[in-house]
């Protein structure tokens, strides 16, 4: 893709459109973007390119499938356009956050009719650690543990200053949209005087309602579903469960993970790799998975995966955190645990029940 020295914006300046600010890190944020962008044509996407903590070098602007790469210094030219709506989908990983926030605030002052929305896919408005995962666990917003100092892009960031920058944005947007009540509670815990918060769960109408699984419950088979690639996603939980039960209970790893090195500890562990969402039901049936463990150790803001799994009418176990706990606590086959010890006890109980009569 050829580098554009001068930004050639795809839309004409007199055409109102939505500016959609986001990253290229994938996940649920990307899934939401795909569904949102599919709703309309007048959307200009400003996307940061690069891995999580790489220095911002280039951004991409995209509209109607036409994509151009621009330099960070060229972002300022975007504010010459007409926008009737600006959506901050995510700025996780950005190094130019304050500059973009200041530009959005100035744009709003000059164009008060423009609607500004901030979507809470992560908690970067609270902390540079956008998943609030610190020293191997959810920090519970106990900021004294890190002395209000956090490493971000190889330098110390004062969290009070970080929140001051973000609060400038939050008090000027028309809507702070959370996708779960647990997210709203966390935002309010830090920004007590902010009241423009809504809770609008993601659209899950794509999930079929006639997908209930009819499994043989006599033999327990545990499934781990999704991208479990780091500590916050619970790879240490998977490791502990495989280490404890891998020679006793069938375990299936369905999705991307980085757990190859522990397979020798579990004779009954099988890695199936990535999957297509439409095929997941058949995968669970073929592998006879009848218990799902959702091992995430950070307070998820929604979790499409959990929503999809609930449609299968299958037992789901998770920790009492975030949107996953909120969903599974109110699910008739959901089990919420306080800690890994309690999760072990639940697994033992289900396994014992499944082996009766053998």
């Amino acid at each position: 893709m050829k580098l554009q020295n001068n930004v050639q914006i795809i839309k004409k300046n007199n055409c109102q459109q939505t500016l959609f600010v986001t990253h290229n890190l994938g996940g649920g944020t990307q899934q939401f973007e795909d569904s949102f962008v599919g709703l309309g044509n007048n959307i200009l996407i400003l996307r940061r390119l690069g891995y999580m903590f790489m220095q911002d070098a280039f951004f991409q602007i995209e509209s109607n499938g036409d994509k151009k790469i621009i330099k960070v210094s060229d972002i300022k030219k975007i504010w010459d356009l007409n926008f009737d709506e600006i959506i901050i989908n995510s700025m996780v990983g950005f190094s130019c956050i304050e500059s973009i926030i200041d530009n959005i605030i100035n744009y709003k002052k000059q164009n008060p009719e423009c609607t500004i929305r901030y979507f809470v896919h992560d908690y970067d408005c609270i902390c540079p650690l956008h998943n609030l995962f610190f020293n191997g666990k959810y920090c519970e917003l106990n900021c004294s543990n890190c002395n209000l100092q956090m490493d971000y892009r190889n330098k110390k960031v004062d969290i009070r200053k970080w929140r001051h920058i973000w609060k400038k944005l939050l008090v000027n947007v028309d809507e702070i949209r959370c996708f779960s009540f647990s997210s709203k509670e966390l935002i309010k815990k830090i920004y007590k005087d902010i009241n423009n918060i809504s809770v609008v769960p993601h659209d899950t109408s794509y999930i079929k309602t006639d997908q209930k699984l009819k499994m043989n419950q006599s033999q327990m088979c545990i499934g781990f579903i999704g991208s479990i690639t780091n500590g916050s996603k619970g790879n240490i939980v998977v490791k502990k469960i495989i280490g404890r039960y891998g020679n006793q209970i069938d375990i299936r790893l369905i999705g991307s993970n980085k757990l190859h090195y522990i397979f020798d500890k579990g004779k009954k562990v099988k890695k199936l790799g990535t999957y297509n969402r439409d095929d997941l039901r058949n995968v669970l049936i073929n592998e006879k998975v009848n218990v799902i463990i959702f091992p995430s150790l950070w307070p998820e803001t929604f979790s499409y995966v959990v929503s999809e799994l609930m449609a299968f009418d299958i037992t789901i176990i998770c920790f009492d955190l975030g949107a996953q706990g909120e969903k599974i606590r109110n699910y008739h086959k959901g089990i919420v645990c306080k800690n890994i010890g309690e999760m072990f006890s639940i697994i033992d109980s289900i396994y014992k029940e499944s082996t009766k009569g053998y």
Side-chain angles (χ1 to χ4, degrees):
M1 192 177 296
K2 186 178 179 181
L3 176 65
Q4 304 294 313
N5 292 322
N6 297 308
V7 181
Q8 298 176 5
I9 297 298
I10 298 153
K11 298 286 184 180
K12 293 182 179 179
N13 283 358
N14 60 1
C15 179
Q16 286 194 328
Q17 57 195 313
T18 294
L19 175 63
F20 192 87
V21 182
T22 194
H23 57 57
N24 70 336
L25 300 175
T29 305
Q30 180 66 53
Q31 186 170 344
F32 173 80
E33 177 193 325
D34 293 343
S35 62
F36 181 87
V37 172
L39 297 176
N41 294 320
N42 293 329
I43 299 173
L44 179 67
I45 301 171
L46 174 65
R47 189 192 318 281
R48 175 188 179 270
L49 300 179
Y51 293 109
M52 179 64 193
F53 293 114
M54 288 176 58
Q55 185 66 26
D56 295 344
F58 302 110
F59 279 70
Q60 181 186 78
I61 52 174
E62 175 182 347
S63 181
N64 294 332
D66 192 355
K67 303 176 182 179
K68 299 181 185 298
I69 293 178
I70 64 173
K71 295 182 291 186
V72 175
S73 59
D74 285 327
I75 292 176
K76 61 181 180 293
K77 299 179 183 179
I78 287 177
W79 307 110
D80 294 332
L81 302 180
N82 291 331
F83 298 113
D84 55 3
E85 180 181 42
I86 297 175
I87 291 176
I88 302 98
N89 192 49
S90 179
M91 290 196 289
V92 168
F94 284 43
S95 62
C96 54
I97 289 176
E98 185 169 15
S99 173
I100 291 179
I101 286 176
D102 287 341
N103 279 311
I104 289 174
I105 293 172
N106 289 333
Y107 191 91
K108 177 70 171 177
K109 289 178 179 178
Q110 297 172 16
N111 303 273
E113 73 286 353
C114 179
T115 301
I116 314 291
R117 293 188 172 93
Y118 169 61
F119 291 168
V120 184
H121 292 288
D122 298 279
Y123 296 108
D124 52 331
C125 67
I126 291 177
C127 180
L129 289 181
H130 61 280
N131 50 25
L132 306 179
F133 190 74
F134 182 69
N135 282 347
K137 63 181 180 180
Y138 166 48
C139 71
E140 299 183 357
L141 295 182
N142 187 356
C143 300
S144 61
N145 288 335
C146 61
N147 297 317
L148 290 168
Q149 298 287 322
M150 188 58 60
D151 290 321
Y152 186 70
R153 296 186 169 279
N154 298 316
K155 64 179 181 180
K156 289 288 184 181
V157 174
D158 187 301
I159 295 179
R160 289 162 295 195
K161 182 178 179 181
W162 179 273
R163 291 173 183 168
H164 174 75
I165 293 169
W166 273 96
K167 189 172 183 179
K168 288 191 298 181
L169 175 71
L170 299 180
V171 299
N172 279 284
V173 301
D174 296 280
E175 179 189 12
I176 301 168
R177 181 177 298 185
C178 294
F179 304 106
S180 63
F181 287 97
S182 60
S183 290
K184 180 177 179 179
E185 290 175 6
L186 286 178
I187 299 295
K188 288 289 289 183
K189 188 173 182 178
I190 299 300
Y191 301 105
K192 295 179 174 60
D193 56 342
I194 290 180
N195 298 308
N196 52 341
I197 306 175
S198 65
V199 178
V200 183
H202 290 308
D203 178 19
T204 56
S205 60
Y206 69 90
I207 300 175
K208 298 177 182 178
T209 58
D210 57 347
Q211 298 190 94
K212 290 185 178 182
L213 302 179
K214 295 182 179 180
M215 295 289 195
N216 176 9
Q217 298 298 316
S218 63
Q219 184 174 350
M220 185 178 186
C221 181
I222 296 172
F224 291 97
I225 314 296
S227 178
I228 308 173
T229 57
N230 55 44
S232 65
K233 288 296 185 181
N235 60 8
I236 188 63
V237 176
V238 181
K239 181 178 179 180
K240 287 181 178 180
I241 289 174
I242 289 177
R244 186 181 178 98
Y245 300 104
N247 294 317
Q248 177 185 11
I249 301 173
D250 287 320
I251 297 175
R252 301 293 180 261
L253 304 178
I254 306 169
S256 58
N257 56 71
K258 296 179 180 178
L259 298 164
H260 315 77
Y261 60 93
I262 59 173
F263 279 0
D264 60 339
K265 295 184 179 179
K267 296 178 181 178
K268 305 195 77 172
V269 179
K270 182 178 178 182
K271 180 191 174 188
L272 300 174
T274 57
Y275 65 94
N276 292 321
R277 187 171 61 208
D278 293 340
D279 297 333
L280 181 56
R281 182 177 184 274
N282 289 333
V283 171
L284 296 178
I285 291 173
N286 292 339
E287 296 297 328
K288 297 181 173 57
V289 175
N290 48 29
V291 175
I292 298 292
I293 296 179
F294 189 77
S296 180
L297 292 172
W298 76 285
E300 305 263 353
T301 57
F302 181 75
S303 184
Y304 284 102
V305 172
V306 169
S307 297
E308 293 161 7
L309 290 169
M310 287 167 60
F312 297 145
D313 196 40
I314 191 171
T315 298
I316 307 175
I317 306 171
C318 78
F319 293 109
D320 190 11
L321 294 170
Q324 66 269 42
E326 181 179 318
K327 289 173 183 285
I328 294 173
R329 187 182 303 108
N330 297 306
Y331 170 56
H332 74 289
K333 287 190 175 181
I335 303 172
V336 176
C337 306
K338 295 179 181 178
N339 50 54
I340 189 68
E342 188 172 311
M343 186 172 283
F344 287 158
S345 297
I346 290 167
I347 294 172
D348 291 339
S349 177
I350 295 174
Y351 179 69
K352 182 178 180 180
E353 187 69 25
S354 73
T355 56
K356 282 185 177 180
Y358 281 79

